[in-house]
Amino acid sequence: MVKKVQTVTHQPLQSIKNNISSEQLLNDLHYQQSRQIIKALLNKGLISTTEFKEIDTLNKQSFPPLLGPENVDTSRL
Protein backbone atom coordinates (compact mmCIF):
# COMPACT_ATOMS: atom_id res chain seq x y z
CA MET A 1 0.00 0.00 0.00
CA VAL A 2 1.39 3.36 -1.03
CA LYS A 3 0.42 6.43 0.94
CA LYS A 4 -0.25 9.58 -0.96
CA VAL A 5 1.67 12.58 0.37
CA GLN A 6 -0.09 15.91 0.33
CA THR A 7 1.75 19.16 -0.15
CA VAL A 8 1.97 21.23 3.00
CA THR A 9 1.07 24.83 2.46
CA HIS A 10 1.68 27.57 4.96
CA GLN A 11 2.09 31.26 5.22
CA PRO A 12 5.65 32.52 5.39
CA LEU A 13 6.94 33.44 8.80
CA GLN A 14 6.75 37.11 9.55
CA SER A 15 9.34 38.68 11.75
CA ILE A 16 8.10 40.29 14.90
CA LYS A 17 9.88 43.47 15.82
CA ASN A 18 9.87 42.97 19.56
CA ASN A 19 13.25 43.59 21.04
CA ILE A 20 13.40 41.14 23.90
CA SER A 21 16.47 41.55 26.05
CA SER A 22 18.60 38.75 27.43
CA GLU A 23 17.47 39.76 30.91
CA GLN A 24 13.80 39.36 29.93
CA LEU A 25 14.49 35.92 28.47
CA LEU A 26 16.37 34.85 31.60
CA ASN A 27 13.61 36.16 33.85
CA ASP A 28 11.05 34.19 31.87
CA LEU A 29 13.20 31.06 32.00
CA HIS A 30 13.70 31.42 35.76
CA TYR A 31 9.99 32.00 36.30
CA GLN A 32 9.06 28.92 34.27
CA GLN A 33 11.62 26.78 36.13
CA SER A 34 10.44 28.00 39.53
CA ARG A 35 6.84 27.34 38.53
CA GLN A 36 7.69 23.75 37.56
CA ILE A 37 9.33 23.21 40.94
CA ILE A 38 6.44 24.58 42.99
CA LYS A 39 3.95 22.72 40.79
CA ALA A 40 5.81 19.48 41.60
CA LEU A 41 5.70 20.34 45.31
CA LEU A 42 1.96 20.98 45.02
CA ASN A 43 1.36 17.72 43.16
CA LYS A 44 3.25 15.79 45.85
CA GLY A 45 1.18 17.43 48.57
CA LEU A 46 4.18 19.17 50.11
CA ILE A 47 2.58 22.61 49.76
CA SER A 48 -1.05 23.75 49.70
CA THR A 49 -2.83 25.55 46.86
CA THR A 50 -2.69 28.75 48.89
CA GLU A 51 1.06 28.37 49.40
CA PHE A 52 1.49 27.63 45.69
CA LYS A 53 -0.29 30.86 44.76
CA GLU A 54 1.68 32.89 47.31
CA ILE A 55 5.02 31.52 46.10
CA ASP A 56 3.99 31.99 42.47
CA THR A 57 3.09 35.62 43.16
CA LEU A 58 6.52 36.21 44.71
CA ASN A 59 8.21 34.47 41.77
CA LYS A 60 6.35 36.70 39.31
CA GLN A 61 7.74 39.71 41.15
CA SER A 62 11.27 38.31 41.22
CA PHE A 63 11.26 36.98 37.65
CA PRO A 64 8.70 38.89 35.56
CA PRO A 65 7.54 36.50 32.81
CA LEU A 66 7.49 37.76 29.23
CA LEU A 67 3.71 37.82 29.21
CA GLY A 68 3.71 39.95 32.32
CA PRO A 69 2.53 38.85 35.74
CA GLU A 70 -1.01 39.99 35.09
CA ASN A 71 -1.29 37.67 32.07
CA VAL A 72 -0.23 34.45 33.78
CA ASP A 73 -3.30 32.57 34.97
CA THR A 74 -2.71 30.51 38.11
CA SER A 75 -6.38 29.95 38.89
CA ARG A 76 -6.47 26.61 37.06
CA LEU A 77 -3.97 24.28 38.65
Side-chain angles (χ1 to χ4, degrees):
M1 173 188 243
V2 177
K3 290 187 176 183
K4 191 173 184 179
V5 178
Q6 295 181 350
T7 304
V8 176
T9 59
H10 64 280
Q11 295 179 348
L13 296 175
Q14 297 177 355
S15 65
I16 299 173
K17 296 185 180 180
N18 287 348
N19 294 327
I20 299 172
S21 70
S22 295
E23 182 180 1
Q24 287 172 309
L25 286 173
L26 280 174
N27 279 338
D28 190 69
L29 173 66
H30 292 149
Y31 171 73
Q32 297 302 331
Q33 288 174 330
S34 65
R35 184 166 166 80
Q36 285 179 346
I37 292 167
I38 62 172
K39 184 92 172 184
L41 294 173
L42 178 66
N43 290 340
K44 290 181 180 182
L46 298 173
I47 61 174
S48 67
T49 303
T50 302
E51 290 169 320
F52 172 87
K53 289 180 181 182
E54 289 172 357
I55 296 168
D56 193 52
T57 298
L58 292 173
N59 286 338
K60 287 177 196 174
Q61 293 170 5
S62 298
F63 314 113
L66 286 174
L67 292 176
E70 67 280 353
N71 293 328
V72 179
D73 181 14
T74 59
S75 63
R76 295 181 291 156
L77 299 175

